[in-house]
Amino acid sequence: MRVLVAVKRVVDFNVKVRVRSDGTGVDLSNVKMSINPFDEIAVEEAVRLREKGVVSEVVAVSCGTNACQETLRTAMAIGADRGILVETDAELQPLAVAKLLKALVDREQPQLVILGKQAIDNDCNQTGQMLAALAGMGQATFASRVELVGDCADVTREIDGGLETLRLKLPAVVTTDLRLNEPRYATLPNIMKAKKKPLDVVTPDHLGVDVAPRLKTLDTAEPAGRSAGVKVPDVAALIEKLRNEAKVI
Ligand code: AMP
C-alpha cells in the first residue's frame, strides 16, 4: 500500500514574521524556512504505518519553488522513501495545490493521502478537504489517531467536547492534528541517506494543471499592538479598576 504525504515549505514557527511595508504580504527575505509542523506529523504517521508493515511505500510531495527540495529531503530524513517536487515559482493557493495533488493521486494511485490540517503560514485549512472533493475520496480531518483495518482506515478526531471515530473506505484523505504523534528527530545518518533517495521533479504543465490564483490579497496588516499596562499601588486600587474600568467583577 502506498501513502502520499503533502509537505509544505513555510516560515519556521519560531520566526516572528514582519509584514511588508506595502501590505502585499509578509517579508520572506533572510527568514528561516522549515517543513510545516503538521506535515512533519503527517510524514511521521506514514512512516510509522510502514514500520508496522501495513504500508509499503511513503511518497512525499511538495509544491513550490526549487527550495522545496530541502523540505522533501527533511521528509525523507524522517523516513519517506522518495519525493516529488511540483516545481513552480507561481503563488500557489490551496485550490491549485489540491489540483496538483489530485493529478499526482491519479498518477501514483495511493491508498491514503495524509496532509497537515493547516499550513502555519496562511492558516487556510482547505487543501485536504478540496483534494478529497476533487478525488472523490472520503476524508477525516484533524486526526489524533489513525489505524488501518483491511481496506478501511479508522480515524479518531478531536471535536468539541470529545472524540469522534470515523471508518473510511480506502483510498481516503486524512489531515493531521498536533496530538497524532511526536515526530522523531532526523538523525545524521538518516539525513545523509535522504540525500540519495529518489526525487522526481515535475511541473504544473506536465500535470496539466492551471495554477493561476483565484483569490487576490487586498491587504496584510500587523495585529494591533497591546497598550502599555499600569501599576496599581495596592489591592484596593486593583479591585476598584477591575470593578469600574474593566467591569469584570
Ligand atoms: P492549507 O489548506 O494551506 O492550510 O494547507 C493544508 C495542508 O495542505 C498542509 O499542511 C500541507 O500538507 C498541504 N499543502 C498546502 N500547500 C502545500 C504545498 N505548496 N505543497 C505541499 N503541500 C501543501
Side-chain angles (χ1 to χ4, degrees), residues 6-8 36 39 61-63 92 94 97 115-119 122-127:
V7 292
K8 186 176 186 186
N36 183 45
D39 303 352
V61 180
S62 192
C63 311
L92 291 176
V97 177
L115 302 89
K117 76 167 178 184
Q118 72 193 53
N122 58 19
D123 278 350
C124 280
N125 176 11
Q126 296 172 357
T127 311

Side-chain angles (χ1 to χ4, degrees), residues 9-201:
R9 182 172 187 264
V10 296
V11 174
D12 187 88
F13 71 96
N14 282 309
V15 170
K16 176 156 176 15
V17 290
R18 271 192 311 267
V19 171
R20 281 195 221 121
S21 51
D22 60 3
T24 54
V26 296
D27 190 0
L28 293 181
S29 44
N30 300 319
V31 164
K32 180 171 185 238
M33 305 292 282
S34 299
I35 182 171
N36 183 45
F38 293 105
D39 303 352
E40 202 176 0
I41 294 171
V43 178
E44 174 68 34
E45 194 62 22
V47 171
R48 286 187 192 187
L49 290 170
R50 195 195 55 217
E51 287 168 348
K52 275 192 206 156
V54 282
V55 159
S56 51
E57 190 185 33
V58 177
V59 183
V61 180
S62 192
C63 311
T65 63
N66 193 267
C68 298
Q69 291 211 13
E70 194 191 345
T71 316
L72 288 168
R73 294 289 172 204
T74 306
M76 290 190 267
I78 298 171
D81 298 291
R82 61 185 169 94
I84 304 175
L85 167 64
V86 184
E87 189 174 352
T88 172
D89 290 335
E91 176 204 341
L92 291 176
Q93 294 177 349
L95 181 59
V97 177
K99 287 180 184 168
L100 293 170
L101 293 175
K102 158 72 170 72
L104 288 174
V105 163
D106 290 345
R107 209 173 84 165
E108 298 283 339
Q109 297 289 310
Q111 287 297 96
L112 187 64
V113 187
I114 314 183
L115 302 89
K117 76 167 178 184
Q118 72 193 53
I120 61 162
D121 52 0
N122 58 19
D123 278 350
C124 280
N125 176 11
Q126 296 172 357
T127 311
Q129 294 88 329
M130 287 175 169
L131 170 63
L134 291 173
M137 292 183 187
Q139 60 175 306
T141 52
F142 308 168
S144 57
R145 194 182 67 95
V146 175
E147 202 177 330
L148 297 182
V149 197
D151 60 353
C152 293
D154 285 355
V155 179
T156 304
R157 46 197 308 274
E158 291 180 27
I159 53 168
D160 274 354
L163 297 172
E164 174 185 65
T165 301
L166 301 175
R167 174 158 291 182
L168 307 174
K169 200 150 175 39
L170 300 177
V173 173
V174 168
T175 73
T176 62
D177 211 335
L178 268 189
R179 266 183 278 268
L180 180 58
N181 62 49
E182 207 170 300
R184 70 197 65 185
Y185 258 118
T187 60
L188 189 58
N190 285 345
I191 294 172
M192 301 311 287
K193 264 192 231 158
K195 290 186 200 249
K196 299 214 174 82
K197 291 186 179 176
L199 196 163
D200 259 7
V201 182

